[in-house]
Amino acid sequence: MGIKTAAIAFAVALGFAGAAVAQTYPSRPITVVVPFAAGGPTDTVARLVGESMTRTLGQQVLIENVGGAGGTRGAGQVAKAAPDGYTLLLHHIGQATAPSLYRKLPYNPATDFEEAGLVTPVPMTLVGSSKFAPKDIQEVIAYVKANKEKVTYGNAGVGSASHLCGMLFMAELDAPMTTIPYQGTGPAMNDLVGGQIDLMCDQTTNTTGQIRGGKIRAYAATTAKPIKAMPDLPTLQAAGLKDFEVAIWHGLYAPKGTPKEIVDKLNAALDKALDDPKVVERFADLGTEPEPKERRSPAFHKQFLSAEIAKWKPVIQKAGVFAD
């Protein structure tokens, strides 16, 4: 047998092996790492999708919260995991901003994962404590400009969606607030409800219930268009911040080297979950919706992540915000 023939035979054997693995996968529970504290918006998305994927895959999809370091600790854990489809990552826009935010990132978001599909684009809202004096967004803008460091702003840590949103808000107003980082937006929301902090940006999956329950004040949406679940809430662009737009997307990842057959099986289960009427209804309750069909494939996810990394790099460099 010649070298070329042997190489072809080896490739064919690998193909059959991958197909065989996919046929028996999954044979045990799957762990989806959420790189933030329990109770936060990414955690909520993961649990909704995971419950539906459990029914499709026939094995329990377990959610493990590995918070810290703005999401990089959990992401790094998955990057080093065995590429067998049993340890996955559900992350948000932080997967695209981390390369520019961190000087010593222990993994490469663009090359150390297999993209398994985008999940949901979640709008964000600028919200405040019910004890905070301003009653609407125009009053907030005036108050922050006049008081700056006296205003406290909570976020989920460097690199988090809430940190990115707050960073852009302060830059637009040229008014640095006193920033208080938390280990996730869940703890930050608890302090906002309790009046220990004044403001924060958070995803509608985490704020909608609190807003409707009257526990916090909603000041503005961070998206270019009004949020469907809260059509009367003004956007920050309408309030005069013309270039302000932040929407937080989520994606599912497997470690680099995970067989394509397994990634495709995960993508199919994710696709089915995003069409699940219960998931669609619950997403609507939380102010969001599943990604459109044409944006759910691994190929689109990979291309989209690359574009997002390029998009946010100059924004973060201009702001001069970095972490070790």
Side-chain angles (χ1 to χ4, degrees), residues 116-193:
L118 293 174
V119 182
T120 176
V122 183
M124 296 190 79
T125 50
L126 178 67
V127 293
S129 164
S130 59
K131 300 177 182 179
F132 193 43
K135 299 297 189 294
D136 59 36
I137 186 57
Q138 294 297 344
E139 289 187 13
V140 169
I141 291 172
Y143 190 91
V144 170
K145 286 182 175 179
N147 293 278
K148 299 182 180 180
E149 288 88 351
K150 293 180 181 179
V151 182
T152 53
Y153 176 88
N155 66 42
V158 174
S160 64
S162 51
H163 171 237
L164 178 65
C165 181
M167 180 177 68
L168 293 177
F169 183 63
M170 286 182 265
E172 286 283 332
L173 299 184
D174 192 23
M177 296 179 280
T178 296
T179 301
I180 302 174
Y182 289 81
Q183 293 295 317
T185 48
M189 179 59 72
N190 288 338
D191 275 6
L192 187 72
V193 171

Side-chain angles (χ1 to χ4, degrees), residues 62-140:
L62 306 171
I63 306 301
E64 180 182 353
N65 297 96
V66 183
T72 62
R73 184 173 300 156
Q77 178 176 307
V78 176
K80 296 175 183 177
D84 55 11
Y86 290 100
T87 304
L88 309 176
L89 173 71
L90 198 146
H91 204 348
H92 62 31
I93 194 174
Q95 190 78 331
T97 58
S100 299
L101 278 169
Y102 292 88
R103 293 187 178 93
K104 300 177 181 178
L105 196 64
Y107 60 92
N108 187 330
T111 60
D112 288 348
F113 298 90
E114 303 290 350
E115 292 79 8
L118 293 174
V119 182
T120 176
V122 183
M124 296 190 79
T125 50
L126 178 67
V127 293
S129 164
S130 59
K131 300 177 182 179
F132 193 43
K135 299 297 189 294
D136 59 36
I137 186 57
Q138 294 297 344
E139 289 187 13
V140 169

